[in-house]
Amino acid sequence: MAYIYLNKDTKEARIFGSITSLCNATGIKPDNLYTQFSRNKLKEYENDKYRIVKTKIERA
């Protein structure tokens, strides 16, 4: 799975291969993201500062 991170303030988009790498680069606490994407089965998570979309990686 890939996680697309969009910073709403800077309009910067980044793609991460795991929640751990996303959290290390952005400073977001991983517990919250694991709860949203694993336990709550969400495909998208958004707040006032950023939006994160969980998506599959397409390979040829």
Side-chain angles (χ1 to χ4, degrees):
M1 289 303 207
Y3 297 88
I4 301 170
Y5 169 84
L6 175 65
N7 184 320
K8 291 183 177 181
D9 295 332
T10 63
K11 304 293 189 218
E12 176 187 22
R14 297 172 72 183
I15 299 173
F16 295 94
S18 68
I19 289 177
T20 303
S21 63
L22 188 153
C23 292
N24 288 339
T26 61
I28 300 170
K29 298 203 180 220
D31 294 340
N32 182 33
L33 295 183
Y34 280 118
T35 299
Q36 299 305 325
F37 291 115
S38 296
R39 292 185 187 145
N40 296 342
K41 308 274 191 234
L42 296 180
K43 298 290 182 186
E44 296 183 18
Y45 177 72
E46 184 172 5
N47 67 14
D48 294 338
K49 296 181 180 181
Y50 54 83
R51 179 176 180 213
I52 301 171
V53 179
K54 179 180 178 182
T55 186
K56 289 186 177 182
I57 298 173
E58 293 187 34
R59 299 173 189 218

